[in-house]
Amino acid sequence: MSKTILIVDDSSSLRTVVKLALTRAGYEVLEAGDGEEALTRLDGRKIHLIVSDVNMPRMDGREALQHIKTDPNLRSIPVVILTTSKEEEDMIRGYDLGAASYITKPVNFEGLVDLMRAIGRYWIEFVELPHNK
């Protein structure tokens, strides 16, 4: 059974690269362009991991993370923040809201592909998590 990862980022080109890397690694990938769309994608679907940017239009990653971590049906899904922000305040807020990891986006294509494969392997193949409802 394929494991599903939700990628949330307002950059369609980044989502395309991430999706390519993860589908080649054997994962099913869903996409969302902001937090509001991400919450819609979570409705009734079995998601194993969420990788989300922070700064996005409409509903940003922090707002979506807060909603996910306060919803009893979603809070067990690990959320990895993948962002260009290196601000310590953003990092602290992300962890305070329940992020599983905070990672700065690599500057090149190869680094991003390698990182996404590592994130997928770690969170899907190695970490044991309770099943979300």
Side-chain angles (χ1 to χ4, degrees):
M1 181 177 95
S2 178
K3 302 289 183 168
T4 304
I5 299 174
L6 175 62
I7 304 300
V8 187
D9 198 292
D10 58 329
S11 167
S12 62
S13 58
L14 182 124
R15 290 193 318 267
T16 298
V17 170
V18 168
K19 184 173 186 174
L20 181 63
L22 291 173
T23 53
R24 284 187 178 170
Y27 305 111
E28 180 182 346
V29 179
L30 299 176
E31 300 177 56
D34 59 43
E36 195 173 295
E37 187 179 351
L39 295 177
T40 301
R41 296 265 188 263
L42 289 168
D43 190 25
R45 289 206 171 105
K46 176 76 171 155
I47 305 292
H48 299 88
L49 174 66
I50 300 167
V51 178
S52 178
D53 191 7
V54 174
N55 299 311
M56 295 177 286
R58 293 196 311 172
M59 179 186 288
D60 71 20
R62 290 173 286 265
E63 292 172 282
L65 175 61
Q66 185 171 19
H67 179 82
I68 290 163
K69 292 304 174 181
T70 57
D71 185 322
N73 295 319
L74 303 175
R75 68 175 166 223
S76 66
I77 304 170
V79 178
V80 173
I81 295 175
L82 181 65
T83 183
T84 56
S85 175
K86 294 183 179 189
E87 296 295 320
E88 187 157 347
E89 182 179 313
D90 285 341
M91 185 184 308
I92 291 168
R93 180 139 186 252
Y95 281 122
D96 284 349
L97 290 171
S101 299
Y102 187 99
I103 301 170
T104 303
K105 291 177 185 172
V107 294
N108 62 39
F109 174 81
E110 294 82 12
L112 181 61
V113 169
D114 290 344
L115 174 63
M116 292 315 303
R117 287 184 179 150
I119 289 172
R121 285 198 70 214
Y122 177 76
W123 285 106
I124 303 294
E125 297 176 32
F126 299 128
V127 174
E128 292 189 37
L129 297 166
H131 298 286
N132 60 317
K133 299 175 182 172

